[in-house]
Amino acid sequence: MARPLTATVDLEAILQNYRYAKKQQPTCKALAVVKSNAYGHGAVEVSRYLDKEADAFAVAAIEEAITLREAGIVSPILLLEGVFEGDEWGLCEKHGFWAALENTQQLNELVASQAKIDKVFLKLDSGMHRLGVDKETAPTFVRALKETGQVGEVVLMTHFACADDVSDLTTIQQLAYFEQARQSIGDIDASVANSAAIMKWSVPEGGWIRPGIMLYGISPFAEVSGRALGLRPAMTLSTKIISTRQLKKGDKVGYGLGYMAAEDHVLATIAVGYGDGYPRHAQNGTPLQINGQPACLAGRVSMDMLTVRMQDYSAVPAMGEDVVLWGGDVPVEEVADHAGTIGYELVTRMTSRPYYRYLRGEASQ
Ligand SMILES: Cc1ncc(COP(=O)(O)O)c(C=O)c1O
């Protein structure tokens, strides 16, 4: 028998979530963000499924973009961090990539390369202070890009620091700063919205939205799950029970003996661990399901195994029973919360060890 750990990825759910994103901002086109291996869901499989419908894709770096082209993806692909070295501009032209640009070095290297680029997304630093030019410099960059004669269109882009917190005024301030820059440039398309902004903020009409986490059915907001937002969670991580034992009240379990049975109960050992991407910092009590019933983590996470118990002490888990670590009725956001992190991190840290199974509409809910 093969190791039973399986990541089932519902590609139709991702397509539906992409459509949902576009419905939230119906005047905009959408860059499907598939960086970091499509947030752990498999960039090639996800992009192949969306390719006919997506307006464009976005990745972090040219290596990710080339992988997609080599897999047959034909839609435009934006490099969200632009080029890291000047010779990448030639590759951008060759493969038809679009690129973000945020400094003079990238601009000079573009000119030196003589590469022709369909769209350059000029990054404006509207307050996050991570990447981008300020609003006083932005018009000069736009002019310089146009004067190269190498760029088809310049789009003005920014990124929000706090869009996931609807009570925080930073997003309003960033939007105001962005609009000032835009007005001083004149006629230019905008790209400002990540998932949180797409769902909760009023963003400029037209231009490009950039949905990432919402495509995978995961919430960008701390207090609400993807499902509650109307999204369809795309990944189910599941495995099976590979061993069971009867514990007596007071028995201790696992590395550091980090769990102590509060009463007599059956403990189950399951095939998944931090070597697969399950978070090592998940606490005792982290939710999961055994045969559809509530269960929880009982003991420290090992590299290849976890120990778990039924929520109801009197229920008895058995060898070979199915276990869902996240997906379905176990929100990944809740698991992340028990591990002191966010859903983004859990899925992007998935490794290649699980068996990845792709659903293409046949078993979508
Ligand atoms: C520039 C940029 N745009 C869009 C996204 C997508 O963000 P989210 O996954 O929150 O939708 C990211 C993700 O980090 C990003 O860096």
Side-chain angles (χ1 to χ4, degrees):
M1 184 185 111
R3 190 163 178 256
L5 180 64
T6 304
T8 303
V9 177
D10 184 345
L11 296 171
E12 183 62 23
I14 297 174
L15 178 61
Q16 295 300 332
N17 292 332
Y18 178 80
R19 289 178 182 159
Y20 179 92
K22 288 194 68 165
K23 234 186 236 166
Q24 305 297 302
Q25 303 290 341
T27 63
C28 296
K29 284 180 261 184
L31 289 143
V33 181
V34 293
K35 64 187 173 133
S36 198
N37 198 25
Y39 293 47
H41 292 66
V44 167
E45 299 294 343
V46 169
S47 305
R48 279 186 180 146
Y49 200 76
L50 298 188
D51 199 20
K52 275 207 186 80
E53 192 162 323
D55 300 314
F57 293 101
V59 295
I62 201 161
E63 294 80 1
E64 294 176 319
I66 289 172
T67 300
L68 295 186
R69 274 287 178 269
E70 287 176 348
I73 301 304
V74 297
S75 302
I77 305 173
L78 170 66
L79 312 183
L80 286 167
E81 288 177 34
V83 303
F84 295 90
E85 294 182 345
D87 59 7
E88 292 173 30
W89 283 116
L91 289 169
C92 286
E93 177 177 328
K94 177 177 165 199
H95 293 289
F97 298 152
W98 304 343
L101 184 142
E102 69 98 34
N103 62 48
T104 312
Q105 183 176 325
Q106 288 171 327
L107 175 61
N108 292 341
E109 288 168 347
L110 170 63
V111 173
S113 74
Q114 299 184 342
K116 298 265 193 293
I117 307 295
D118 279 350
K119 282 192 208 304
V120 168
F121 284 58
L122 178 65
K123 270 205 161 180
L124 181 77
D125 180 3
S126 61
M128 190 167 180
H129 302 324
R130 190 174 66 172
L131 290 177
V133 301
D134 61 27
K135 68 176 165 35
E136 285 71 32
T137 323
T140 318
F141 266 87
V142 174
R143 221 173 300 122
L145 282 164
K146 287 185 174 160
E147 281 169 5
T148 63
Q150 296 166 242
V151 176
E153 186 194 355
V154 182
V155 177
L156 190 66
M157 164 187 184
T158 200
H159 197 51
F160 294 131
C162 306
D164 57 326
D165 182 352
V166 288
S167 66
D168 191 306
L169 297 181
T170 308
T171 306
I172 292 174
Q173 289 158 0
Q174 286 193 258
L175 276 166
Y177 187 98
F178 184 85
E179 277 313 319
Q180 285 167 15
R182 203 170 167 208
Q183 275 164 24
S184 67
I185 292 165
D187 185 26
I188 189 165
D189 262 355
S191 178
V192 305
N194 57 1
S195 297
I198 290 165
M199 287 188 277
K200 295 284 183 200
W201 293 93
S202 169
V203 302
E205 299 236 317
W208 294 85
I209 55 173
R210 306 190 303 268
I213 197 75
M214 69 181 296
L215 295 181
Y216 310 101
I218 301 171
S219 170
F221 307 106
E223 67 283 3
V224 54
S225 71
R227 203 174 248 182
L229 289 165
L231 299 170
R232 284 169 57 169
M235 182 189 288
T236 302
L237 184 63
S238 61
T239 188
K240 287 187 185 293
I241 295 177
I242 57 169
S243 185
T244 60
R245 67 215 53 250
Q246 178 69 47
L247 295 187
K248 289 209 163 43
K249 182 177 175 181
D251 280 350
K252 295 181 179 173
V253 174
Y255 284 121
L257 299 178
Y259 169 79
M260 186 170 77
E263 351 187 324
D264 293 3
H265 70 82
V266 173
L267 184 85
T269 301
I270 65 174
V272 62
Y274 65 78
D276 305 297
Y278 192 88
R280 184 176 173 278
H281 291 105
Q283 302 290 315
N284 285 331
T286 301
L288 53 117
Q289 272 190 344
I290 295 177
N291 258 2
Q293 298 305 308
C296 64
L297 195 61
R300 206 180 275 175
V301 175
S302 304
M303 190 183 295
D304 316 308
M305 284 175 276
L306 303 185
T307 41
V308 301
R309 67 167 176 84
M310 304 305 295
Q311 203 69 261
D312 169 3
Y313 282 111
S314 64
V316 180
M319 281 285 289
E321 284 186 332
D322 294 323
V323 183
V324 172
L325 284 315
W326 62 67
D329 294 327
V330 187
V332 69
E333 296 92 336
E334 221 176 284
V335 177
D337 195 43
H338 281 78
T341 184
I342 52 176
Y344 288 79
E345 188 181 10
L346 292 203
V347 287
T348 53
R349 287 181 64 178
M350 291 289 297
T351 70
S352 58
R353 285 173 94 199
Y355 168 66
Y356 284 78
R357 177 167 155 256
Y358 287 94
L359 304 180
R360 296 174 170 77
E362 64 272 28
S364 294
Q365 319 96 356

